[in-house]
Amino acid sequence: MSDTVKYLLDEQHLPKTWYNLAADLPEPPPPVLHPGTGQPVGPDDLAPLFPMALIGQEVSTDREIEIPEPIREVYRQWRPSPLYRARRLEKALDTPARIFYKYEGVSPAGSHKPNTSVAQAFYNKEEGVSRLTTETGAGQWGSSLAYAGALFGLEVEVYMVKVSYNQKPYRRALMETYGAQCYASPSDRTESGKAILAQDPDSPGSLGIAISEAVELAAQRDDTKYSLGSVLNHVLLHQTVIGTEAIEQMAMADTYPDIVIGCAGGGSNFAGLAFPFLGRKLRGGEDVRIIAAEPSACPSLTRGTFAYDFGDTGHLTPLVKMYTLGSSFVPPGFHAGGLRYHGMSGMVSHIKELGLIEAQAHHQTPCFDAATQFARTEGIVPAPESSHAIRSVFDEAEACKRDGTAKTILFNLSGHGHFDMAAYTDYFAGNLEDRDYDEGALQAALAALPQVAAE
Amino acid sequence: MSDTVKYLLDEQHLPKTWYNLAADLPEPPPPVLHPGTGQPVGPDDLAPLFPMALIGQEVSTDREIEIPEPIREVYRQWRPSPLYRARRLEKALDTPARIFYKYEGVSPAGSHKPNTSVAQAFYNKEEGVSRLTTETGAGQWGSSLAYAGALFGLEVEVYMVKVSYNQKPYRRALMETYGAQCYASPSDRTESGKAILAQDPDSPGSLGIAISEAVELAAQRDDTKYSLGSVLNHVLLHQTVIGTEAIEQMAMADTYPDIVIGCAGGGSNFAGLAFPFLGRKLRGGEDVRIIAAEPSACPSLTRGTFAYDFGDTGHLTPLVKMYTLGSSFVPPGFHAGGLRYHGMSGMVSHIKELGLIEAQAHHQTPCFDAATQFARTEGIVPAPESSHAIRSVFDEAEACKRDGTAKTILFNLSGHGHFDMAAYTDYFAGNLEDRDYDEGALQAALAALPQVAAE
């Protein structure tokens, strides 16, 4: 029996289509609303921010959406990504569970994010856009869009949450190596940023604030559009190559997962792995438990409210019905910067509300306990975001040991931690804080949720 | 015509043997000498430092040496590694040259080094060793041995050249994540380190000094052996999986390289790619130009003397005939820490002396110019060491453009630069110094070369 087992698809198994969960839902998600009129938004409302091709994908109910060949060309550099069985980890945990992971850190930018950044850059370029603005938390998304911008000849301007900007100088260096401009958010380059700085000059920033800055700038210029790294339907759609490949790879391993796990901030890597499995289940296929793992300090799925809210702090975006902590909620600084978002993808929120998925919240220290043991057995150092998924895997594997059941667990190792080593240094030095969110701040943020007539 | 072209071998093409250049050399390299007796060293002289299996490989003249299955099991996680055609780079350079690269950054530790660290950990474990000491420059080697130690249950103690230890805190964090101990060298933990600190408390360290510290500690304890990341025949041997795979992959691309290029510090990634191609040539096969790319600040092959010298600064190692700048030579601090070695592998030196390979030296700035353009076209951010190979590739591709010749160039992208982003930050800020070595220091170091009767 081999210790390392890799399931590698050859290039002819690179997916030709993205999978759209909207085609298989028992009921459609609530509409996205215009904050002024309270009416569902149409393509024209979104046109200042996104190219028409992406707006079309955002509202499509087609099950399969063709991946244009120039995008597949770029995907081929690292896709199909490997799927591994973690036999050394199984032994270390002494669990009867069988643990598999899909590894997305093989992309040039080191995470799953290029699956959508490449697609977004392609469609923007096709429609004559020359410049993209975006936000980034830990920097996985910013560096991935910077990478895609370099390939397609687009200027990229990234607003990076200030606490991460200061924690992760090497992420910034990576974006600059790809030729992008990177600014700490809140910045004084936008009205949104200036408003926050006026209230709190020491604001650590948040994804919600950074989104406001990027959206504001994109809306001002015809040659500029906005690019989002998670949350929106078209972003989640592009990530489904992960799950589509994983289904084939699990078949190569002659098995099918009982449990599928992904970490969730905005929801994109979680959805990328889980949606194709959920779609099979909804079409009458194999049953599967699906778990979203999130941080206790920013627990939108486990402690948020399912309500219409803005996607950003500056209230420039449409209203989406989602699990939210309130768009004015600023989570404490912690190391999984990609999970510091006040809300959750509308689609992921919808399936949570329908009872199709579960959610678990974890503190930092148990996540890094698991990530370190993972590194010492499987060799790959996980991103702090991915460590949340690994914590859930450990918990489920330990439950299998207690119960004597041999479940098959599949999780998404969404990225490596090479640019997050300061987090590991803090962990080894005992400097991690296992903070919860501030309950008063949460209640204030929830009290400030917008009133929406449609609800 | 596709933009990204990846040549991926499936697992059944994972090499079953390492290739030993010693079998095909027109004349054997000069013997390694005992510094006390001036006589060739035997296995007993090396036994305190290395397990017998590795000593056997060090002196073997068998052409093929079988790779034990437990090592192949670990290799399978990332091997066979991909070989790419750099079409986007070719277009950007507007060159008729066809550029291919073998990418070794896909290993868990991010470079070619695990090819030998895994093998060394395996053989040491087999012979009952429980603890390994080693040196590291930029940290590629130290983190690779830490990784292998974690897999095989060996303690690992790493002496990291002080200038790199301070420049690259995340490399240290990586070693600690794998469970290794990492110390700045020169340290006060060894007599060798103390002697250097007594002379120069601010010594930036060097690979030669760090080797002395690690060797000294290994020689003191029966449960402890020493592990070297380059230079020795058995280390170069383990790296030949790179070239063996590349030959098959170039055949998949229906071509064969006119020019093979690798960066060279101690010589291991260079040899790993080049030796299997050189072996074919020596056995009457295809002709090929082979180029070693080294730093102008530590130019052993282009400015050193071919002479017997110590492998370390503290003069604890046997004497090897090699291109050397003198074992007391301490190169200036620069960002490619893995190339800051005073000498060169005896085997690589021997084939340079035989005229079988060429060498080119580069300053830092033109290397980072090339590495940045590579990142913006091919997406992968190269390690500073590898950037030297890329500089040579650019120079050869530009020569092809001038001459209108369509040469096929293959180089080893030995690792990624994720842990070296401070170097890119310095580059973008205009803070790189293109220092040459100090000529007086070189002359003094060469004057201090040991007198060897055999010469």
Side-chain angles (χ1 to χ4, degrees), chain A residues 265-289:
Chain A
S268 79
N269 95 78
F270 167 76
L273 179 64
F275 281 9
F277 286 96
L278 179 58
R280 280 170 77 98
K281 177 176 169 174
L282 292 171
R283 294 192 302 276
E286 306 86 338
D287 194 21
V288 62
R289 267 181 75 200

PDB file of all heavy atoms in Angstrom, chain A residues 265-289:
ATOM      1  N   GLY A 265     -14.960  32.077   3.249  1.00  0.00           N
ATOM      2  CA  GLY A 265     -14.896  33.498   3.600  1.00  0.00           C
ATOM      3  C   GLY A 265     -15.999  34.184   2.813  1.00  0.00           C
ATOM      4  O   GLY A 265     -17.051  34.520   3.340  1.00  0.00           O
ATOM      5  N   GLY A 266     -15.779  34.325   1.513  1.00  0.00           N
ATOM      6  CA  GLY A 266     -16.848  34.753   0.618  1.00  0.00           C
ATOM      7  C   GLY A 266     -17.566  33.550   0.023  1.00  0.00           C
ATOM      8  O   GLY A 266     -18.683  33.645  -0.453  1.00  0.00           O
ATOM      9  N   GLY A 267     -16.867  32.413   0.012  1.00  0.00           N
ATOM     10  CA  GLY A 267     -17.486  31.156  -0.404  1.00  0.00           C
ATOM     11  C   GLY A 267     -16.940  30.517  -1.666  1.00  0.00           C
ATOM     12  O   GLY A 267     -17.421  29.451  -2.068  1.00  0.00           O
ATOM     13  N   SER A 268     -15.904  31.095  -2.288  1.00  0.00           N
ATOM     14  CA  SER A 268     -15.595  30.630  -3.647  1.00  0.00           C
ATOM     15  C   SER A 268     -14.868  29.294  -3.705  1.00  0.00           C
ATOM     16  O   SER A 268     -15.176  28.454  -4.553  1.00  0.00           O
ATOM     17  CB  SER A 268     -14.857  31.701  -4.438  1.00  0.00           C
ATOM     18  OG  SER A 268     -13.493  31.776  -4.118  1.00  0.00           O
ATOM     19  N   ASN A 269     -13.887  29.065  -2.807  1.00  0.00           N
ATOM     20  CA  ASN A 269     -13.209  27.762  -2.921  1.00  0.00           C
ATOM     21  C   ASN A 269     -14.111  26.660  -2.390  1.00  0.00           C
ATOM     22  O   ASN A 269     -14.109  25.535  -2.898  1.00  0.00           O
ATOM     23  CB  ASN A 269     -11.839  27.787  -2.216  1.00  0.00           C
ATOM     24  CG  ASN A 269     -11.866  27.274  -0.796  1.00  0.00           C
ATOM     25  OD1 ASN A 269     -11.902  26.071  -0.557  1.00  0.00           O
ATOM     26  ND2 ASN A 269     -11.877  28.182   0.175  1.00  0.00           N
ATOM     27  N   PHE A 270     -14.913  27.014  -1.385  1.00  0.00           N
ATOM     28  CA  PHE A 270     -15.897  26.064  -0.855  1.00  0.00           C
ATOM     29  C   PHE A 270     -16.862  25.637  -1.964  1.00  0.00           C
ATOM     30  O   PHE A 270     -17.089  24.448  -2.211  1.00  0.00           O
ATOM     31  CB  PHE A 270     -16.654  26.722   0.305  1.00  0.00           C
ATOM     32  CG  PHE A 270     -17.882  25.985   0.720  1.00  0.00           C
ATOM     33  CD1 PHE A 270     -17.788  24.823   1.468  1.00  0.00           C
ATOM     34  CD2 PHE A 270     -19.140  26.447   0.354  1.00  0.00           C
ATOM     35  CE1 PHE A 270     -18.932  24.129   1.843  1.00  0.00           C
ATOM     36  CE2 PHE A 270     -20.281  25.765   0.724  1.00  0.00           C
ATOM     37  CZ  PHE A 270     -20.182  24.595   1.476  1.00  0.00           C
ATOM     38  N   ALA A 271     -17.431  26.628  -2.628  1.00  0.00           N
ATOM     39  CA  ALA A 271     -18.385  26.346  -3.695  1.00  0.00           C
ATOM     40  C   ALA A 271     -17.726  25.591  -4.838  1.00  0.00           C
ATOM     41  O   ALA A 271     -18.318  24.684  -5.430  1.00  0.00           O
ATOM     42  CB  ALA A 271     -18.985  27.651  -4.212  1.00  0.00           C
ATOM     43  N   GLY A 272     -16.490  25.982  -5.159  1.00  0.00           N
ATOM     44  CA  GLY A 272     -15.791  25.352  -6.274  1.00  0.00           C
ATOM     45  C   GLY A 272     -15.687  23.855  -6.102  1.00  0.00           C
ATOM     46  O   GLY A 272     -15.887  23.086  -7.055  1.00  0.00           O
ATOM     47  N   LEU A 273     -15.383  23.418  -4.899  1.00  0.00           N
ATOM     48  CA  LEU A 273     -15.334  21.974  -4.651  1.00  0.00           C
ATOM     49  C   LEU A 273     -16.728  21.392  -4.461  1.00  0.00           C
ATOM     50  O   LEU A 273     -17.061  20.340  -5.007  1.00  0.00           O
ATOM     51  CB  LEU A 273     -14.478  21.684  -3.407  1.00  0.00           C
ATOM     52  CG  LEU A 273     -14.371  20.185  -3.048  1.00  0.00           C
ATOM     53  CD1 LEU A 273     -13.649  19.409  -4.150  1.00  0.00           C
ATOM     54  CD2 LEU A 273     -13.666  19.989  -1.709  1.00  0.00           C
ATOM     55  N   ALA A 274     -17.570  22.087  -3.662  1.00  0.00           N
ATOM     56  CA  ALA A 274     -18.817  21.454  -3.192  1.00  0.00           C
ATOM     57  C   ALA A 274     -19.935  21.455  -4.225  1.00  0.00           C
ATOM     58  O   ALA A 274     -20.719  20.499  -4.286  1.00  0.00           O
ATOM     59  CB  ALA A 274     -19.288  22.160  -1.918  1.00  0.00           C
ATOM     60  N   PHE A 275     -20.067  22.513  -5.026  1.00  0.00           N
ATOM     61  CA  PHE A 275     -21.249  22.624  -5.892  1.00  0.00           C
ATOM     62  C   PHE A 275     -21.414  21.448  -6.860  1.00  0.00           C
ATOM     63  O   PHE A 275     -22.532  20.936  -7.007  1.00  0.00           O
ATOM     64  CB  PHE A 275     -21.237  23.956  -6.655  1.00  0.00           C
ATOM     65  CG  PHE A 275     -21.690  25.143  -5.838  1.00  0.00           C
ATOM     66  CD1 PHE A 275     -21.912  25.047  -4.464  1.00  0.00           C
ATOM     67  CD2 PHE A 275     -21.900  26.388  -6.442  1.00  0.00           C
ATOM     68  CE1 PHE A 275     -22.320  26.150  -3.707  1.00  0.00           C
ATOM     69  CE2 PHE A 275     -22.320  27.493  -5.699  1.00  0.00           C
ATOM     70  CZ  PHE A 275     -22.531  27.377  -4.341  1.00  0.00           C
ATOM     71  N   PRO A 276     -20.367  20.987  -7.520  1.00  0.00           N
ATOM     72  CA  PRO A 276     -20.579  19.840  -8.410  1.00  0.00           C
ATOM     73  C   PRO A 276     -21.047  18.586  -7.662  1.00  0.00           C
ATOM     74  O   PRO A 276     -21.865  17.816  -8.187  1.00  0.00           O
ATOM     75  CB  PRO A 276     -19.201  19.646  -9.060  1.00  0.00           C
ATOM     76  CG  PRO A 276     -18.611  21.033  -9.068  1.00  0.00           C
ATOM     77  CD  PRO A 276     -19.026  21.603  -7.727  1.00  0.00           C
ATOM     78  N   PHE A 277     -20.569  18.398  -6.417  1.00  0.00           N
ATOM     79  CA  PHE A 277     -21.056  17.254  -5.621  1.00  0.00           C
ATOM     80  C   PHE A 277     -22.508  17.480  -5.212  1.00  0.00           C
ATOM     81  O   PHE A 277     -23.332  16.566  -5.274  1.00  0.00           O
ATOM     82  CB  PHE A 277     -20.170  17.058  -4.380  1.00  0.00           C
ATOM     83  CG  PHE A 277     -18.826  16.468  -4.691  1.00  0.00           C
ATOM     84  CD1 PHE A 277     -17.705  17.275  -4.876  1.00  0.00           C
ATOM     85  CD2 PHE A 277     -18.671  15.083  -4.811  1.00  0.00           C
ATOM     86  CE1 PHE A 277     -16.468  16.727  -5.173  1.00  0.00           C
ATOM     87  CE2 PHE A 277     -17.430  14.521  -5.104  1.00  0.00           C
ATOM     88  CZ  PHE A 277     -16.328  15.356  -5.296  1.00  0.00           C
ATOM     89  N   LEU A 278     -22.823  18.715  -4.800  1.00  0.00           N
ATOM     90  CA  LEU A 278     -24.208  19.018  -4.405  1.00  0.00           C
ATOM     91  C   LEU A 278     -25.156  18.871  -5.592  1.00  0.00           C
ATOM     92  O   LEU A 278     -26.271  18.357  -5.442  1.00  0.00           O
ATOM     93  CB  LEU A 278     -24.271  20.441  -3.827  1.00  0.00           C
ATOM     94  CG  LEU A 278     -25.655  20.923  -3.398  1.00  0.00           C
ATOM     95  CD1 LEU A 278     -26.268  20.002  -2.339  1.00  0.00           C
ATOM     96  CD2 LEU A 278     -25.575  22.371  -2.869  1.00  0.00           C
ATOM     97  N   GLY A 279     -24.697  19.306  -6.756  1.00  0.00           N
ATOM     98  CA  GLY A 279     -25.522  19.176  -7.952  1.00  0.00           C
ATOM     99  C   GLY A 279     -25.884  17.729  -8.236  1.00  0.00           C
ATOM    100  O   GLY A 279     -27.033  17.404  -8.562  1.00  0.00           O
ATOM    101  N   ARG A 280     -24.915  16.829  -8.106  1.00  0.00           N
ATOM    102  CA  ARG A 280     -25.212  15.396  -8.311  1.00  0.00           C
ATOM    103  C   ARG A 280     -26.271  14.927  -7.328  1.00  0.00           C
ATOM    104  O   ARG A 280     -27.191  14.195  -7.691  1.00  0.00           O
ATOM    105  CB  ARG A 280     -23.936  14.575  -8.114  1.00  0.00           C
ATOM    106  CG  ARG A 280     -23.018  14.578  -9.302  1.00  0.00           C
ATOM    107  CD  ARG A 280     -21.683  13.960  -8.942  1.00  0.00           C
ATOM    108  NE  ARG A 280     -21.741  12.507  -8.877  1.00  0.00           N
ATOM    109  CZ  ARG A 280     -21.358  11.697  -9.867  1.00  0.00           C
ATOM    110  NH1 ARG A 280     -20.923  12.207 -11.004  1.00  0.00           N
ATOM    111  NH2 ARG A 280     -21.392  10.393  -9.721  1.00  0.00           N
ATOM    112  N   LYS A 281     -26.114  15.345  -6.079  1.00  0.00           N
ATOM    113  CA  LYS A 281     -27.077  14.944  -5.053  1.00  0.00           C
ATOM    114  C   LYS A 281     -28.471  15.476  -5.403  1.00  0.00           C
ATOM    115  O   LYS A 281     -29.469  14.743  -5.322  1.00  0.00           O
ATOM    116  CB  LYS A 281     -26.613  15.492  -3.697  1.00  0.00           C
ATOM    117  CG  LYS A 281     -27.540  15.223  -2.532  1.00  0.00           C
ATOM    118  CD  LYS A 281     -26.882  15.738  -1.248  1.00  0.00           C
ATOM    119  CE  LYS A 281     -27.857  15.762  -0.074  1.00  0.00           C
ATOM    120  NZ  LYS A 281     -27.143  16.121   1.188  1.00  0.00           N
ATOM    121  N   LEU A 282     -28.536  16.738  -5.826  1.00  0.00           N
ATOM    122  CA  LEU A 282     -29.835  17.344  -6.139  1.00  0.00           C
ATOM    123  C   LEU A 282     -30.480  16.700  -7.365  1.00  0.00           C
ATOM    124  O   LEU A 282     -31.699  16.722  -7.522  1.00  0.00           O
ATOM    125  CB  LEU A 282     -29.674  18.858  -6.355  1.00  0.00           C
ATOM    126  CG  LEU A 282     -29.303  19.663  -5.104  1.00  0.00           C
ATOM    127  CD1 LEU A 282     -28.950  21.104  -5.467  1.00  0.00           C
ATOM    128  CD2 LEU A 282     -30.437  19.624  -4.077  1.00  0.00           C
ATOM    129  N   ARG A 283     -29.653  16.143  -8.232  1.00  0.00           N
ATOM    130  CA  ARG A 283     -30.183  15.460  -9.418  1.00  0.00           C
ATOM    131  C   ARG A 283     -30.456  13.984  -9.124  1.00  0.00           C
ATOM    132  O   ARG A 283     -30.640  13.177 -10.037  1.00  0.00           O
ATOM    133  CB  ARG A 283     -29.210  15.585 -10.590  1.00  0.00           C
ATOM    134  CG  ARG A 283     -29.027  17.015 -11.097  1.00  0.00           C
ATOM    135  CD  ARG A 283     -28.294  17.082 -12.440  1.00  0.00           C
ATOM    136  NE  ARG A 283     -26.979  16.462 -12.415  1.00  0.00           N
ATOM    137  CZ  ARG A 283     -25.862  17.062 -11.994  1.00  0.00           C
ATOM    138  NH1 ARG A 283     -25.902  18.313 -11.574  1.00  0.00           N
ATOM    139  NH2 ARG A 283     -24.719  16.422 -12.010  1.00  0.00           N
ATOM    140  N   GLY A 284     -30.452  13.614  -7.824  1.00  0.00           N
ATOM    141  CA  GLY A 284     -30.772  12.241  -7.455  1.00  0.00           C
ATOM    142  C   GLY A 284     -29.575  11.333  -7.300  1.00  0.00           C
ATOM    143  O   GLY A 284     -29.727  10.118  -7.175  1.00  0.00           O
ATOM    144  N   GLY A 285     -28.398  11.918  -7.301  1.00  0.00           N
ATOM    145  CA  GLY A 285     -27.181  11.120  -7.172  1.00  0.00           C
ATOM    146  C   GLY A 285     -26.813  10.854  -5.720  1.00  0.00           C
ATOM    147  O   GLY A 285     -27.655  10.954  -4.816  1.00  0.00           O
ATOM    148  N   GLU A 286     -25.545  10.538  -5.513  1.00  0.00           N
ATOM    149  CA  GLU A 286     -25.055  10.120  -4.208  1.00  0.00           C
ATOM    150  C   GLU A 286     -25.298  11.188  -3.135  1.00  0.00           C
ATOM    151  O   GLU A 286     -25.112  12.369  -3.376  1.00  0.00           O
ATOM    152  CB  GLU A 286     -23.539   9.838  -4.267  1.00  0.00           C
ATOM    153  CG  GLU A 286     -23.115   8.844  -5.331  1.00  0.00           C
ATOM    154  CD  GLU A 286     -22.873   9.492  -6.691  1.00  0.00           C
ATOM    155  OE1 GLU A 286     -23.398  10.597  -6.957  1.00  0.00           O
ATOM    156  OE2 GLU A 286     -22.167   8.878  -7.492  1.00  0.00           O
ATOM    157  N   ASP A 287     -25.637  10.721  -1.950  1.00  0.00           N
ATOM    158  CA  ASP A 287     -25.766  11.633  -0.819  1.00  0.00           C
ATOM    159  C   ASP A 287     -24.371  12.064  -0.359  1.00  0.00           C
ATOM    160  O   ASP A 287     -23.383  11.342  -0.550  1.00  0.00           O
ATOM    161  CB  ASP A 287     -26.505  10.940   0.337  1.00  0.00           C
ATOM    162  CG  ASP A 287     -26.949  11.954   1.396  1.00  0.00           C
ATOM    163  OD1 ASP A 287     -27.057  13.158   1.070  1.00  0.00           O
ATOM    164  OD2 ASP A 287     -27.194  11.541   2.549  1.00  0.00           O
ATOM    165  N   VAL A 288     -24.287  13.229   0.238  1.00  0.00           N
ATOM    166  CA  VAL A 288     -23.005  13.727   0.730  1.00  0.00           C
ATOM    167  C   VAL A 288     -23.267  14.823   1.759  1.00  0.00           C
ATOM    168  O   VAL A 288     -24.196  15.624   1.600  1.00  0.00           O
ATOM    169  CB  VAL A 288     -22.139  14.250  -0.446  1.00  0.00           C
ATOM    170  CG1 VAL A 288     -22.818  15.416  -1.166  1.00  0.00           C
ATOM    171  CG2 VAL A 288     -20.739  14.639  -0.016  1.00  0.00           C
ATOM    172  N   ARG A 289     -22.500  14.792   2.870  1.00  0.00           N
ATOM    173  CA  ARG A 289     -22.546  15.902   3.829  1.00  0.00           C
ATOM    174  C   ARG A 289     -21.569  16.964   3.341  1.00  0.00           C
ATOM    175  O   ARG A 289     -20.439  16.639   2.962  1.00  0.00           O
ATOM    176  CB  ARG A 289     -22.060  15.447   5.205  1.00  0.00           C
ATOM    177  CG  ARG A 289     -23.122  14.975   6.159  1.00  0.00           C
ATOM    178  CD  ARG A 289     -22.464  14.584   7.496  1.00  0.00           C
ATOM    179  NE  ARG A 289     -22.063  15.742   8.278  1.00  0.00           N
ATOM    180  CZ  ARG A 289     -21.154  15.698   9.268  1.00  0.00           C
ATOM    181  NH1 ARG A 289     -20.525  14.566   9.550  1.00  0.00           N
ATOM    182  NH2 ARG A 289     -20.857  16.787   9.954  1.00  0.00           N
TER     183      ARG A 289
END
